Amino acid sequence: MLGSIEAGGTKFVCAVSDSELTIIERISFPTTSPVETLAKVIDFFKKYDEKLKAIGIGSFGPIDCNPQSEKYGWVTSTPKPGWTNFDFLGEMKVAFKQPVYWTTDVNAACYGEVYAGGGLGLSSVVYYTIGTGIGAGAIQNGKFIGGINHTEMGHMMVPKNPNDDYSGTCPYHQDCLEGLAAGPAIEARSGIKGQDLAPDSPYWELEAEYLAKCLYNTTLMLSPERIILGGGVMEQKHLLPMVREKFKELLNGYVETPEMATYIITPVLENNAATIGCLALAKQLLVD
Ligand code: ADP
Ligand code: ZN
């Protein structure tokens, strides 16, 4: 059996599957203090005991995922109370003797989509989530991109629309991509939550523009085979065609990309991408 911990800033999803990744049991609970939250995680997996062979963790971050670092396995500079500099992986290793794979929630989602979803058969894919924040995971030639640590593409700078007088929500950079285009920015700018904002609102034009700028940067910097856009904001079905259109305009034919319908997509595994990714990463540990 394989275990998955999708550790989100809002909620945790834990699952166990058989070796073919068929899910046997799954639970979800809100992310509270580390002690309380991890107690629930440990309870969930303990009942599988010896049958559980490996666990994959995809965590909210920033995290440290450089095995050479002293803080490897920690959740680091998150503003989330109690989680700053928390040794998540260390606590898991105390509780479980099974091998544990440690990466970001968005890397896990990217891996899931490549393993069994919208990136199947591809080796260079980027996955963005546009929700409470903007995060990205990227696989290039079958490996997660990273150096001293994981990437943070959700905080890239994008040129601001001159008519946008909103200052941005990012506590670190104000008007980075996340600051201008994550769910809370849509709400702060318009006064209405994204899920309640009318599809013909001009704020969606602005949202599509910022996401298109992000995809422009992503395309030119990484040349992926596909870009997958997930997260709550992308539930707005009218947004994807607008993003594709604005992206094409911006790129202006400078490089060739696959057809928009296959190049920029939403997750095929929907909300399961990270869980499937964590299970697949756990499975991989048993092969390596
Ligand atoms: P999280 O990022 O916390 O895991 P979500 O991906 O659901 O969770 O992101 C929550 C953010 O996305 C909120 O700012 C919310 O207003 C926005 N959001 C959630 N659902 C929708 C929707 N259907 N349409 C537009 N915005 C949404
Ligand atoms: Zn930022």
Side-chain angles (χ1 to χ4, degrees):
M1 278 179 168
L2 304 163
S4 159
I5 305 172
E6 182 189 347
T10 313
K11 68 175 194 307
F12 267 53
V13 179
C14 297
V16 289
S17 77
D18 65 16
S19 58
E20 296 309 308
L21 272 55
T22 303
I23 292 172
I24 294 161
E25 190 186 355
R26 175 207 309 255
I27 54 162
S28 167
F29 43 86
T31 310
T32 56
S33 70
V35 171
E36 195 178 64
T37 312
L38 294 204
K40 287 184 184 158
V41 171
I42 292 164
D43 262 9
F44 175 73
F45 288 112
K46 277 290 177 194
K47 58 180 180 284
Y48 293 97
D49 198 33
E50 298 284 305
K51 283 185 276 184
L52 189 66
K53 299 298 179 213
I55 299 174
I57 305 178
S59 176
F60 74 101
I63 66 171
D64 190 324
C65 57
N66 177 353
Q68 312 305 324
S69 162
E70 277 177 20
K71 294 185 176 182
Y72 177 67
W74 294 22
V75 177
T76 56
S77 48
T78 175
K80 201 167 171 56
W83 291 86
T84 315
N85 290 330
F86 173 66
D87 185 5
F88 189 162
L89 181 61
E91 293 294 326
M92 289 293 101
K93 289 201 161 156
V94 170
F96 301 107
K97 54 184 180 315
Q98 291 88 343
V100 180
Y101 194 95
W102 169 249
T103 191
T104 63
D105 47 1
V106 273
N107 268 351
C110 191
Y111 198 83
E113 283 290 317
V114 168
Y115 191 85
L120 198 63
L122 304 180
S123 60
S124 295
V125 172
V126 183
Y127 179 102
Y128 281 92
T129 181
I130 300 113
T132 305
I134 299 187
I139 290 174
Q140 191 130 41
N141 300 323
K143 299 249 187 282
F144 291 130
I145 291 184
I148 50 171
N149 205 355
H150 59 82
T151 60
E152 279 286 0
M153 293 185 278
H155 292 258
M156 70 174 71
M157 288 293 177
V158 291
K160 214 169 153 179
N161 181 303
N163 298 320
D164 181 11
D165 56 13
Y166 180 58
S167 58
T169 50
C170 178
Y172 289 89
H173 323 110
Q174 253 193 335
D175 60 358
C176 65
L177 176 68
E178 175 173 301
L180 292 174
I186 299 173
E187 183 177 351
R189 192 184 280 118
S190 67
I192 303 169
K193 280 189 190 303
Q195 50 270 54
D196 302 322
L197 189 62
D200 60 355
S201 162
Y203 290 111
W204 289 121
E205 291 284 336
L206 202 53
E207 180 69 14
E209 175 182 324
Y210 290 134
L211 295 179
K213 285 173 174 170
C214 156
L215 299 184
Y216 170 96
N217 292 338
T218 306
T219 298
L220 297 184
M221 293 183 70
L222 301 177
S223 192
E225 295 166 286
R226 189 161 294 163
I227 304 174
I228 303 176
L229 303 178
V233 172
M234 294 311 299
E235 304 268 331
Q236 296 292 320
K237 295 300 168 218
H238 63 280
L239 187 56
L240 184 65
M242 290 165 74
V243 173
R244 286 174 175 154
E245 198 53 42
K246 285 188 191 290
F247 165 77
K248 259 173 76 172
E249 275 169 33
L250 272 179
L251 194 62
N252 199 20
Y254 182 57
V255 294
E256 271 188 42
T257 64
E259 285 298 310
M260 283 304 112
T262 59
Y263 185 53
I264 302 169
I265 64 165
T266 50
V268 168
L269 301 178
E270 299 184 341
N271 297 327
N272 274 329
T275 293
I276 296 295
C278 288
L279 293 170
L281 288 162
K283 183 173 174 169
Q284 194 58 37
L285 282 176
L286 302 174
V287 176
D288 287 345

